[in-house]
Amino acid sequence: QVQVVETGGGEVQAGGSLNLSCKFSGLRFSTIAMTWFRQAPGKEREAVSCLDRTGFHHTYYRDSVSGRFTISRDNAKSTLYLQMNNLNPEDAAMYYCAADAGDDCWLAENDPRQLRPWGHGIRVTVSS
């Protein structure tokens, strides 16, 4: 019975920042690589970022967010974070946390359509 508490979404002006988080319970969080993906209306889902289970061996960012977003995790708190800086309207979407491939990020990097959300998603709106 996995539960997740999602926080940090909202509306910001272009150039603003948000810090998203997913806090899990009922899951061996520290054994699983975790991915953030997003989906905007009328668009396919996009892998945003992924972090391996250790939090330091491997990190993935899609090109459009590299340098602006930072993924992190606190295994002691079973929590995944996404710090988003310098947001632009192209970042507006529903954001989801999801399990990737065990201790690595194969799905995010190769087949993000197979990613499935935990939780209902976090709405991010960016106004110009």
Side-chain angles (χ1 to χ4, degrees), residues 19 49 61 65 67-72 81-85:
N19 190 8
S49 185
Y61 295 98
V65 309
R68 300 188 295 119
F69 291 10
T70 302
I71 189 171
S72 62
Y81 303 94
L82 185 67
Q83 177 66 47
M84 306 187 296
N85 297 326

Side-chain angles (χ1 to χ4, degrees), residues 105-118:
C105 298
W106 193 93
L107 290 178
E109 297 179 17
N110 298 281
D111 194 10
R113 292 183 180 182
Q114 293 190 39
L115 293 166
R116 297 292 182 268
W118 274 329

Side-chain angles (χ1 to χ4, degrees), residues 22 24 32 51 60 65 99 114 116 120 122 125:
C22 289
F24 292 88
I32 303 171
L51 187 62
Y60 163 81
V65 309
Q114 293 190 39
R116 297 292 182 268
H120 298 293
I122 307 169
T125 302

